[in-house]
Amino acid sequence: MFIHLFKYRVKCMVADFGGMFWLLFFPLCLSLFFYMGLGNISESKIAAIDAAVIGENEEFLSAAKESGLFNFVDADEDNAKKMLSSEEVKAVFILGDEIKIMLSSNGIYQSISKLFLDTYLQRSETVVNIVSENPAVLSDGFIDELSDMHTHTEEMPNSPNMNFLVVYYYGLIAMAVIMGGSLSLENVSFIQANQSNVACRFNMAPVNKIYAFAAMSSASLMFHFASNLLLIGVLKFVFGVDFTDKIGLVILTVFVGCFSGLMFGALVGSLIKKGEGIKQGIIIAITMLGAFLSGMMSSDIKYYVTAYAPWLKYLLMPELVSDSLYVLYYYETLDKYFLNMGILLAMGIVCFAVTLIILSRQKYKSL
Amino acid sequence: MNIFKLYLRLFFKSALGISLMYMIVFLFVSSVFLSSGGSSSSTSFEAFKCRTAVLNNDNSTVASELEKYIKDNTTPVELTSYDNDSIKDSIFARYVMYVLIIPEGYGERFATDDELKLGVYSVPDAASAALVDQMVNNFLITAELYKKGTGEIDFTKVRSDLSIESDVVMSNNYQSSKNSVTEQAITFMAYPILAIVLFATCHVIITLQHTDIKRRINCSPAKSLNVSLQVYLGAFVVALVVFAVMVVFMFAVYSKDITSYTAPFYFLNLFVFVLVALSIAVFVAGFGKFSVIMPVSNIVSLSCSFLGGIFVPLELLSESVLRIAVINPAFWYAKANGIISGITASNPAVPSELFVCIVVELLFAVAFFAMSLVVTRIKRSK
């Protein structure tokens, strides 16, 4: 009987266009949109800035070349201006008695170029001030020290995994995983005689409701887990989303998320006696709220939750799934990951236990 | 006008709730847009200001002077906590790009052989972080030079030296800001318009195509053309209400940034895009079943928005996406908004490219409407 119920539940899920769309095709489409829309977003990286020079000033040019900040392009005045207009160069240094900089827009590379020139002028002023105040420094090797200045900062150790765009994909996975609650909603409505005609007929058969619930939930879990594995596979191998080398733990996260999402749906289905639309609405609202807070629509939101309301992520399943994936990606230690997983699993077990109690206690005088 | 009245009744009964939900989400996201910053209309160079946090654990003069200098020349950010994980989270989220940690006792050991290093958390290889690093080192090297050259650090002189700025010559085609927040927010309106108009129109038209309702209408003395016109009028009125709400919102929130030069063109572009959304909706409804309304309206509105420069500015889309985007009406809407934002009091000329964009949008509207007529004709013949 278990196999029979399992098989028919799988058939029902495969035949349901709406369910297949929201649980499988919609996340896949969304991941494609993310990939195409966000794929070209990247940070301005440190790189030699293309710049042109008009005029002569050996001292400045040697300082600029020594800094390694610029990639100077040979050009006469007209060409330099044209290249600036077409953004082939970011800045044009006009050298002479007074050094100026020509720019065509605001921007990070333009700011670095200007800061370099500011620093050059400021350093010259500082040396002039010091020498005029204390001329003896000229014989003390002070000038030699000028070229020997060291940096005063050191980078603190941090993870090499810094691509913040993964947050969007992790939020998407969290949404897809917890959205599975709608499958359990159907499972419960197939078993509770006061919710559907199928359930009325089902209750006439000599099958234990808990047994039937277990068979249908197993089928839903298998189906939902498989569809999410497909999503993970597409994200990793087609869209190149980075899950680091902890792919085993990523799959564990998805499995626990699928289980907890399904049990959450079962709890909503058994606890609320209203129409299916309202119950679906509750599941979608909680899932989308969790996905929103986990950064699916804006990666900034995830940070605001972490910084200002960290307790919130322990209340919402999608947040827990997304945060677990984030911890696996960014953190080297796993203590936060196991805390998240523990809470998520506990939520799933509590939902499962309450659903069992509700289902086992329901009796009908007539059908 | 019974069909028209029926259309509106059906809209209020079954599609108003979802439409309001989209509207509320839109208002929320727009307020997030607004809080994220303002547009720039300056005609002089504005240096990039990196979001920077400073944790000063030292009470020396050099530490406090450095902190002040960095805060004056960057966008200072306060973190809720400065523990290791909180700083790392803030760097990952790009809430802050550079966190400077000044250790205790830094001032005492500054410019000695036993000098402490300042700790820095930043996004590796990010140019913005390199800019702040350059500032920090510039300040400290200047202070160090004074200490080594004169035996003491006179911070008045350090500040005076560091206040020297080079002359910036702006080229003739200087652009202060390519994407203002207002332009982005108005461009973003395309998403709720598409989502609401698509859902509401499809929902009501498909309800009207229900066999019983259709038979009842068919046996009435109303001509089929008249019925169709009333349905289209109903859809147009609903779309017009959506447009009016958007215009009111635009005026209420962005009135400071919308000038008399840009306002008419923003409205015209928005109105034309509403027509496009309406024509897409009528076309989709021609195929429709209730079970596919939500999926199709979601996919159409999200794909148009993601791949047409609504969610992500056109400048950030890849070449391949931009090549596909020309067959997306949202692309032309976003492009037109980009052109409109360039119209200023100092440069009030309206580029002909703007009208090209609007005409292309209109052609999309006509094409979808024509296709919907063909679909309807085919369905009737069956």
Side-chain angles (χ1 to χ4, degrees), chain A residues 98 114 133 152 162 326, chain B residues 89 94 115 137 157 165:
Chain A
E98 194 185 352
K114 182 178 175 294
E133 192 176 322
H152 293 259
M162 292 296 285
Y326 165 71
Chain B
D89 285 340
R94 278 39 169 197
E115 185 184 307
N137 281 299
K157 286 181 180 167
E165 284 200 45

Side-chain angles (χ1 to χ4, degrees), chain A residues 17-35:
Chain A
F17 167 78
M20 283 285 275
F21 175 83
W22 288 113
L23 294 175
L24 184 60
F25 298 126
F26 184 66
L28 285 174
C29 288
L30 217 49
S31 59
L32 174 69
F33 299 153
F34 280 177
Y35 175 73

Side-chain angles (χ1 to χ4, degrees), chain A residues 226-345:
Chain A
S227 65
N228 278 292
L229 280 185
L230 180 67
L231 175 65
I232 297 283
V234 170
L235 288 177
K236 183 171 171 60
F237 298 111
V238 180
F239 301 139
V241 176
D242 193 356
F243 291 102
T244 68
D245 54 353
K246 298 166 191 160
I247 193 73
L249 291 174
V250 170
I251 291 172
L252 175 69
T253 311
V254 170
F255 183 79
V256 175
C258 285
F259 168 75
S260 300
L262 286 169
M263 290 309 118
F264 166 65
L267 178 70
V268 172
S270 56
L271 210 58
I272 297 168
K273 307 295 175 207
K274 301 284 178 188
E276 199 183 330
I278 291 175
K279 288 189 277 193
Q280 285 281 11
I282 290 171
I283 288 178
I284 290 172
I286 292 177
T287 306
M288 294 314 288
L289 177 68
F292 171 71
L293 294 175
S294 65
M296 192 182 86
M297 292 149 202
S298 165
S299 59
D300 293 346
I301 300 293
K302 180 172 176 56
Y303 172 72
Y304 288 120
V305 171
T306 308
Y308 296 99
W311 47 268
L312 199 58
K313 75 178 173 193
Y314 299 119
L315 299 179
L316 293 164
M317 287 180 180
E319 256 284 84
L320 284 166
V321 173
S322 162
D323 198 58
S324 302
L325 296 171
Y326 165 71
V327 168
L328 286 177
Y329 175 75
Y330 189 48
Y331 282 85
E332 275 148 25
T333 56
L334 292 174
D335 46 343
K336 280 188 177 184
Y337 171 75
F338 286 118
L339 175 67
N340 285 344
M341 279 291 98
I343 294 171
L344 185 62
L345 190 61

Side-chain angles (χ1 to χ4, degrees), chain A residues 17 21-22 26 29-30 33-34 36-38 40-41 43-46 69 84-85 87 94 98 100-112 114-119 121-123 125-126 129-130 133-134 137 142 145-146 149-158 161-164 166-167 292 300 303-304 306-308 326 329-331 336, chain B residues 28 44-48 79-80 85 88-95 97-98 106 110 115 117-128 130-131 133-138 140-142 144-146 148-150 157 161-162 164-171 173-176 178 291-292 294-295 298-299 302-303 306-307 312 316-318 321 324:
Chain A
F17 167 78
F21 175 83
W22 288 113
F26 184 66
C29 288
L30 217 49
F33 299 153
F34 280 177
M36 294 179 82
L38 308 175
N40 206 37
I41 294 177
E43 232 127 25
S44 301
K45 295 281 182 190
I46 302 170
L69 279 174
L84 187 66
S85 301
E87 298 209 344
I94 305 166
E98 194 185 352
K100 293 177 183 174
I101 186 168
M102 185 186 277
L103 302 169
S104 66
S105 60
N106 296 331
I108 182 75
Y109 294 117
Q110 288 80 353
S111 298
I112 292 176
K114 182 178 175 294
L115 183 64
F116 175 80
L117 179 57
D118 290 349
T119 305
L121 299 174
Q122 291 160 4
R123 194 66 48 79
E125 179 71 11
T126 303
N129 284 344
I130 291 170
E133 192 176 322
N134 182 14
V137 291
F142 176 73
E145 272 191 44
L146 272 176
M149 288 309 208
H150 60 280
T151 59
H152 293 259
T153 54
E154 69 179 353
E155 194 68 36
M156 303 297 278
N158 203 352
N161 301 325
M162 292 296 285
N163 183 5
F164 70 99
V166 295
V167 168
F292 171 71
D300 293 346
Y303 172 72
Y304 288 120
T306 308
Y308 296 99
Y326 165 71
Y329 175 75
Y330 189 48
Y331 282 85
K336 280 188 177 184
Chain B
F28 176 76
S44 60
F45 177 74
E46 286 173 29
F48 178 83
L79 301 183
T80 50
D85 284 356
K88 280 182 172 182
D89 285 340
S90 64
I91 292 283
F92 182 86
R94 278 39 169 197
Y95 179 70
M97 295 296 284
Y98 190 94
Y106 181 77
F110 176 68
E115 185 184 307
K117 289 273 187 186
L118 299 174
V120 169
Y121 287 92
S122 65
V123 178
D125 299 331
S128 53
L131 180 75
D133 210 50
Q134 205 179 334
M135 282 180 197
V136 172
N137 281 299
N138 189 28
L140 292 173
I141 287 172
T142 306
E144 190 181 4
L145 283 175
Y146 271 105
K148 288 185 174 167
T150 63
K157 286 181 180 167
D161 288 358
L162 294 178
I164 294 171
E165 284 200 45
S166 53
D167 284 341
V168 179
V169 180
M170 302 314 299
S171 76
N173 63 336
Y174 171 68
Q175 293 173 305
S176 65
K178 282 183 176 171
S291 58
V292 298
M294 278 303 270
N298 265 293
I299 292 296
L302 285 172
S303 60
F306 263 109
L307 312 179
V312 181
L316 298 178
L317 292 178
S318 66
V321 174
I324 304 167

Side-chain angles (χ1 to χ4, degrees), chain B residues 88 107 134 223 235 245 376:
Chain B
K88 280 182 172 182
Q134 205 179 334
K223 286 181 183 170
V245 171
T376 313

Side-chain angles (χ1 to χ4, degrees), chain A residues 62-77:
Chain A
S62 74
K65 282 175 183 167
E66 202 179 305
S67 71
L69 279 174
F70 301 102
N71 178 26
F72 285 112
V73 180
D74 289 328
D76 57 25
E77 189 170 343

